Structure formats: C-alpha cells, structure tokens
Amino acid sequence: MSSLPLAVPRRRRRSVRHTLDLRVSPYAYVAPFFLLFCAFGLFPLVYTAWVSLHEWSLLSETQTFIGLDNYSTLLSDGYFWNATFNTLSIGVLSTVPQLLLAIWLAHLLNRRLRFQTLFRVALLLPNVTSVVAVVVIFSQLFGRDFGLINWVLSWFGAGNIDWAAGTATSHLALSVMIMWRWTGYNALIFLAAMQAVPRELYEAATLDGASGFTQLRRITIPMIRPTIVFVVIVSTIGAMQIIAEPLLFGQSSGGGGGIATGGPDRQFQTLALFVYEQGFANSTFDFGYASAASWLMFLAVVIVALVNFLITHRVKGGVI
C-alpha cells in the first residue's frame, strides 16, 4: 500500500518521456541536415542576394549599395542572354535523347538476360569516370583534323567539321558528352522503377501477342510515369548548371577565347560559365554582378521545381 503514491509520479515521468520521444525525437534526428543546410545552403543564398545589391569587387575594399542596378544591367546584357540560349539549347539537345535512350536501355535490362549484373555495372561506369577524362577524350574524338567522328563522316562525303567553332556543332558535341555521362545513371533509376511493375501485366500482354515495344508504350511508361517526371526535372535542373564540360571543352579543343568565354564567339558559354567569368575570370572580379546572375539562375531553377510540383500533382490526381 505504501508504494502506490510513488508509482503514480513514476508513471507520469515515463509518460512525459514517452511523449517527448514521440514528438521531439523526430526533429532531433533531422536537425543535423537542416543545420548543415542553413550553414552551407541557406546562408550562401541570402548572402549572395545581399552581395548582388552592391557594387562588390575583390579589388576594392569598399562596397557601394546600388539596389537592383546589377539586375537591370544584367537583363540588358547580350552576353547573359547568349549564355541563356546556349544553356537551353545544350539542355534540350542533351536531355531529350538521353532520357529516351535511358528508358530503352532500362526496358532491355528489365528482361531476363545473361550477365545482367555486368550490364548494369557497365551502365554506371561513364558516370563515375572523371569529367576531365571524358571531355579530353571526346575533344579528341571531335577533333577537326584527326578526330574519329570526322573520319567516319568522311565516308559519307562530309568535310572536316570544326566542332568547337560553330554554335550548333559545339552544342551537339557537348550534348554527346553529357549524354555519355548521364544516360546509364538515369537508366538505372528507370530500371528500379520498372522492377516494381507487376510481372503479371507483361505475361498477360505477351499472351495477347503484344510486342516488346507495345509493352513498353502501353504498360511500362504509364506505370513509371512519376519516376519519369522526377528524372526529367532533375535532368533539366542539372542541364541548367552545366559548367565543367564547356569550360574544359574550350581548353581541350584549342579553339581560342578566354578560359571562361566558351569559345572566341561565346558560342558554347553556359549560364554557370558566365557566372564564373564575371566572378573569377575577368579583370574586375565583379562579385556583385556574378551574384545577380546566380540569383536569376536560382529563380529559373525554382520555376522548374514549381513545374515539377504541378506536373506531379496532376499525375497523382490522375489528370495526366
């Protein structure tokens, strides 16, 4: 009888600890991510916005507040719009064929094949290869005088193409490099989604005489549509941030121009390369102008993310 009054407070303390464990511990588990995000994601974002409102150069100790002048100058800068066009052009040329090829490769690997694991590992190898090695090798393949691509095209009567000199040809060459690196990676994502599709659907389609292409079109693609939307948006965002390939292609091809100009006529300068040029590669080290360009890039990415959300919402709602 004497232990009963002590048992009540003990049960209350246990209940409080249980409630705290249920309600507080999830926040403690995710807190490290958000702390790191605030330090390395949110703070640089806010600080970049603050820098973009100033005339800010590494060569000067004073920074003058100029409001939105950097943004207004940027929107009237022909080089900025040229970089925007190049980014969109390279993004479309690399993303669309890349995703179609990735879906087709995943569809082939989703069948019963010998050495299936070997093929899947081989798909990932281009992605783990150094981007420097990829660009150097492909710059040799696309060489004007001794490149393998021009040698093959000469069989069909084509002359020596200077791939790095033209806008369309340089975009095509860069798109091939990007496709080489990311097609296998995306194919593995599609393959993981395809393996969740019930096998009974394929067996029923086979009994009905449906070909492999028909099964891909009528069963596979509708069943993995959310994954397709995710990969399309992620690939689009990645395409907007391309910098290593054009930077190294300009150096490896020997086409002339500055290190960050994307060729002598800026024919393959992307937005990320434009930001790098303004901040680090020109004589003024104009951080304010580069920060304004970075923020416009960020807004573009936000717009793409919103499109992603709307499309995903429509897919879940069965509208598409």
Side-chain angles (χ1 to χ4, degrees):
M1 295 294 291
S2 61
S3 62
L4 186 57
L6 295 176
V8 174
R10 192 178 300 145
R11 281 199 298 271
R12 287 179 179 171
R13 287 197 296 271
R14 193 178 301 160
S15 177
V16 170
R17 286 200 299 270
H18 181 68
T19 303
L20 288 175
D21 182 50
L22 287 179
R23 295 185 177 180
V24 178
S25 61
Y27 296 102
Y29 296 145
V30 301
F33 165 77
F34 285 102
L35 290 175
L36 291 174
F37 172 74
C38 289
F40 299 104
L42 188 59
F43 172 73
L45 195 63
V46 175
Y47 189 69
T48 303
W50 174 251
V51 173
S52 70
L53 302 177
H54 291 74
E55 187 178 356
W56 194 304
S57 172
L58 279 182
L59 304 178
S60 175
E61 295 182 354
T62 59
Q63 294 85 35
T64 308
F65 183 82
I66 56 175
L68 299 176
D69 284 359
N70 279 328
Y71 291 94
S72 61
T73 306
L74 194 62
L75 293 176
S76 60
D77 189 341
Y79 291 157
F80 171 75
W81 291 111
N82 173 69
T84 303
F85 167 76
N86 292 338
T87 302
L88 294 176
S89 174
I90 295 172
V92 172
L93 286 175
S94 62
T95 301
V96 176
Q98 173 194 148
L99 296 181
L100 293 176
L101 187 57
I103 290 176
W104 181 247
L105 287 173
H107 178 67
L108 293 179
L109 290 177
N110 198 32
R111 298 179 175 183
R112 298 182 186 278
L113 295 174
R114 287 185 176 182
F115 312 112
Q116 206 171 46
T117 304
L118 177 64
F119 287 127
R120 293 176 182 178
V121 173
L123 281 179
L124 200 58
L125 285 179
N127 187 252
V128 300
T129 305
S130 167
V131 64
V132 177
V134 171
V135 176
V136 169
I137 291 173
F138 274 89
S139 296
Q140 298 301 315
L141 293 177
F142 283 102
R144 185 189 62 184
D145 297 322
F146 306 104
L148 180 64
I149 306 298
N150 277 346
W151 179 64
V152 172
L153 291 178
S154 67
W155 298 348
F156 305 96
N160 287 344
I161 301 174
D162 192 350
W163 293 91
T167 300
T169 54
S170 61
H171 291 188
L172 188 61
L174 287 167
S175 300
V176 172
M177 298 178 201
I178 297 166
M179 288 172 57
W180 168 260
R181 288 194 67 214
W182 292 103
T183 299
Y185 177 82
N186 289 326
L188 291 180
I189 295 177
F190 288 136
L191 179 61
M194 288 179 185
Q195 290 184 336
V197 178
R199 287 286 172 187
E200 293 79 8
L201 297 177
Y202 295 108
E203 293 171 0
T206 303
L207 290 176
D208 289 341
S211 64
F213 180 72
T214 302
Q215 293 180 21
L216 172 65
R217 189 163 53 91
R218 297 299 182 97
I219 299 175
T220 305
I221 291 179
M223 294 295 288
I224 66 168
R225 188 173 293 165
T227 304
I228 294 175
V229 173
F230 167 77
V231 174
V232 166
I233 299 304
V234 171
S235 300
T236 304
I237 293 174
M240 296 177 65
Q241 299 172 341
I242 297 170
I243 181 172
E245 286 86 354
L247 178 67
L248 297 170
F249 184 54
Q251 299 302 305
S252 301
S253 61
I259 187 173
T261 57
D265 297 326
R266 298 176 181 265
Q267 62 268 30
F268 52 90
Q269 185 186 48
T270 59
L271 274 175
L273 201 56
F274 177 79
V275 172
Y276 174 75
E277 179 194 15
Q278 300 302 321
F280 301 98
N282 65 12
S283 58
T284 59
F285 297 98
D286 195 344
F287 270 30
Y289 199 62
S291 298
S294 300
W295 254 90
L296 290 185
M297 279 186 61
F298 170 73
L299 292 177
V301 172
V302 170
I303 292 172
V304 172
L306 286 176
V307 172
N308 179 20
F309 172 77
L310 293 174
I311 293 176
T312 306
H313 183 71
R314 289 170 66 87
V315 169
K316 286 181 178 177
V319 179
I320 293 178

